[in-house]
Amino acid sequence: AAGTTMRFIFDKQVVMGDWEFLPLCHYGFNQQAWEDVKLSITTSFLMRDPIPQYVSFYRYYIEKLQKAPDVSSGSRGPAAFGEDIIEWAAHIPDIQVREVLGDKCTSQIRDAPFKVQQEGGRVTRAGAKLIGSQCQVSENDYEQFASALRKIDVVGTTDQFDAFWLKLSDVVGFQHLEYVASNQAKESSSSQWKKPNLAADIMQAINRTAIYDTEGYALASQLQATQIEEGGADFQTRLDAYLGKKEARGSKKYRGGVPPPSKYKWVAKDKLNGGNLPANGFPSQEEYVQPAFYT
């Protein structure tokens, strides 16, 4: 599992010619994608501190729906999605553990937690939607999650992303470790949402609803620390050197150094000539596209 940064990192391995295709990294491979693979597979897992994860999820998916006008279908509006992050989060427990387990109503995490009704020409709330036991994480469910986590080859946290990335590179053999810290520019403009500045009642609400996410994050941190320790002094020396390679160019903040120019570009299939480059040579800049994976 990964987000925007890992997406860009994996893309770079393709356009440098090291990989033949771009995997579906955001939610991992489904069975159809990997069942015929004859090569060895390295598993990795990256977990985020539940408080910034809930804030990020809320601001990206939910906040705009809360601020939209109420509609009778309940597809948007504060009656359906809550007045703020506190009201919303109280009804959406353990986002990350549920996503990993995969059978805890994962597809419903973005749904409105409240029922609505038409009343006097207005849309009003008709109560909270009950969270069925099949959607909640039990102690046994968490033990299943923890057992799976302990079997994963490389475990990390977003707080120690560079250590995770260097360890994963050692195991898999990535050659291009440089990347852009893709989310920093967006986050710098919303400092009130950063954990050190976050209101106490918001943090308390998330802690109450993300009990197993919090346990899972502590386990991921512990497993990562063990893996770093197993790397010995050499790994720590290389990690310190990697962390020291930071460079800003315009709005981009590079980590691990500045990457070399890409050898290849993504091009829309209809711009190619029988699967090859156009007859007039390499495509123009206007014909470059991002792979569908990004959209």
Side-chain angles (χ1 to χ4, degrees):
T4 307
T5 298
M6 286 304 299
R7 222 183 295 180
F8 291 152
I9 286 175
F10 284 180
D11 181 17
K12 187 65 175 179
Q13 313 309 309
V14 180
V15 295
M16 289 303 297
D18 291 351
W19 287 10
E20 293 184 2
F21 68 98
L22 186 64
L24 178 62
C25 71
H26 213 126
Y27 290 102
F29 287 101
N30 56 32
Q31 183 172 349
Q32 184 179 359
W34 55 255
E35 62 183 358
D36 294 327
V37 174
K38 304 303 181 183
L39 303 177
S40 62
I41 295 176
T42 298
T43 56
S44 64
F45 178 72
L46 191 64
M47 194 164 188
R48 192 174 189 179
D49 179 337
I51 289 178
Q53 172 62 13
Y54 264 80
V55 168
S56 176
F57 193 99
Y58 168 77
R59 299 199 67 215
Y60 190 84
Y61 293 114
I62 308 301
E63 187 176 30
K64 58 180 175 285
L65 296 173
Q66 287 182 337
K67 293 180 177 179
D70 284 310
V71 294
S72 58
S73 65
S75 59
R76 63 177 185 267
F81 281 89
E83 295 289 343
D84 52 28
I85 186 173
I86 294 174
E87 195 169 35
W88 166 80
H91 297 271
I92 310 293
D94 300 306
I95 288 176
Q96 294 182 83
V97 172
R98 289 169 65 190
E99 286 184 330
V100 173
L101 291 171
D103 60 354
K104 292 296 171 183
C105 311
T106 308
S107 62
Q108 298 177 23
I109 291 175
R110 300 182 197 177
D111 290 353
F114 300 102
K115 297 178 288 187
V116 298
Q117 63 187 5
Q118 285 279 3
E119 190 174 59
R122 297 186 305 111
V123 177
T124 62
R125 188 175 299 173
K129 296 178 182 176
L130 296 179
I131 304 173
S133 59
Q134 74 277 12
C135 302
Q136 300 181 46
V137 179
S138 67
E139 187 65 34
N140 287 339
D141 293 327
Y142 176 76
E143 288 305 320
Q144 180 185 350
F145 164 85
S147 176
L149 209 60
R150 294 187 181 99
K151 296 175 183 176
I152 289 176
D153 297 316
V154 182
V155 177
T157 65
T158 54
D159 289 336
Q160 298 288 331
F161 177 81
D162 288 330
F164 165 81
W165 173 223
L166 187 60
K167 185 69 175 180
L168 185 61
S169 299
D170 285 352
V171 174
V172 177
F174 293 112
Q175 298 300 303
H176 304 284
L177 277 63
E178 310 90 348
Y179 72 92
V180 174
S182 58
N183 292 326
Q184 287 190 356
K186 297 178 183 178
E187 293 176 355
S188 64
S189 62
S190 52
S191 60
Q192 75 272 18
W193 288 102
K194 289 183 178 294
K195 187 174 180 179
N197 305 328
L198 203 60
D201 55 350
I202 295 178
M203 295 182 65
Q204 291 166 3
I206 295 172
N207 285 331
R208 285 193 298 268
T209 202
I211 294 173
Y212 287 114
D213 274 7
T214 301
E215 286 191 36
Y217 179 72
L219 176 59
S221 299
Q222 175 191 335
L223 292 173
Q224 182 175 33
T226 299
Q227 291 180 352
I228 292 174
E229 184 178 349
E230 290 172 347
D234 173 67
F235 180 83
Q236 189 61 55
T237 299
R238 290 188 296 111
L239 177 59
D240 291 341
Y242 183 79
L243 293 172
K245 296 178 181 178
K246 298 179 181 179
E247 185 172 337
R249 292 192 177 182
S251 61
K252 293 183 177 181
K253 296 180 180 180
Y254 289 94
R255 307 295 295 271
V258 178
S262 300
K263 294 181 179 180
Y264 303 97
K265 295 290 185 181
W266 295 99
V267 181
K269 188 175 181 179
D270 60 5
K271 300 295 182 182
L272 299 181
N273 179 21
N276 300 308
L277 288 176
N280 60 348
F282 205 75
S284 66
Q285 182 71 40
E286 290 73 25
E287 292 171 328
Y288 295 160
V289 296
Q290 286 187 322
F293 179 81
Y294 289 99
T295 59

